[in-house]
Amino acid sequence: MSNTAALATLDYAGQVARVLRSKAKTEKFVAEQSKLQAETLKVGRGRMLTPLSIGFAGMAAFFGPVPPSSNCSDVTTAW
């Protein structure tokens, strides 16, 4: 009788250990999934903003800095 009780206890302990391992693996998987989703969002935003930044950089290179007009009386620095 006591032998059967000991086997049942070991069986429950094994099941509990298996459930705890499964839970730990699931938590690790969910953390990895969240990290990958955040990275995907970041890459998507970068992909959208890249053409805009290229366009603004091209406009800045084409037009260059605009010098102040020579007839302004409030300009104190000389270019």
Side-chain angles (χ1 to χ4, degrees):
M1 187 73 153
S2 64
N3 193 14
T4 307
L7 288 177
T9 305
L10 288 177
D11 188 40
Y12 288 137
Q15 288 179 0
V16 169
R18 186 171 51 245
V19 167
L20 292 177
R21 279 193 307 270
S22 177
K23 183 179 176 190
K25 286 181 182 180
T26 301
E27 289 174 356
K28 183 179 174 184
F29 176 75
V30 168
E32 182 72 19
Q33 184 182 15
S34 297
K35 185 175 115 180
L36 290 174
Q37 285 176 341
E39 187 177 336
T40 301
L41 214 85
K42 187 173 121 180
V43 168
R45 255 186 274 131
R47 192 175 292 154
M48 283 177 39
L49 293 177
T50 299
L52 287 175
S53 63
I54 290 172
F56 286 128
M59 286 176 27
F62 180 74
F63 292 113
V66 178
S69 79
S70 60
N71 61 0
C72 290
S73 61
D74 63 338
V75 176
T76 59
T77 58
W79 281 54

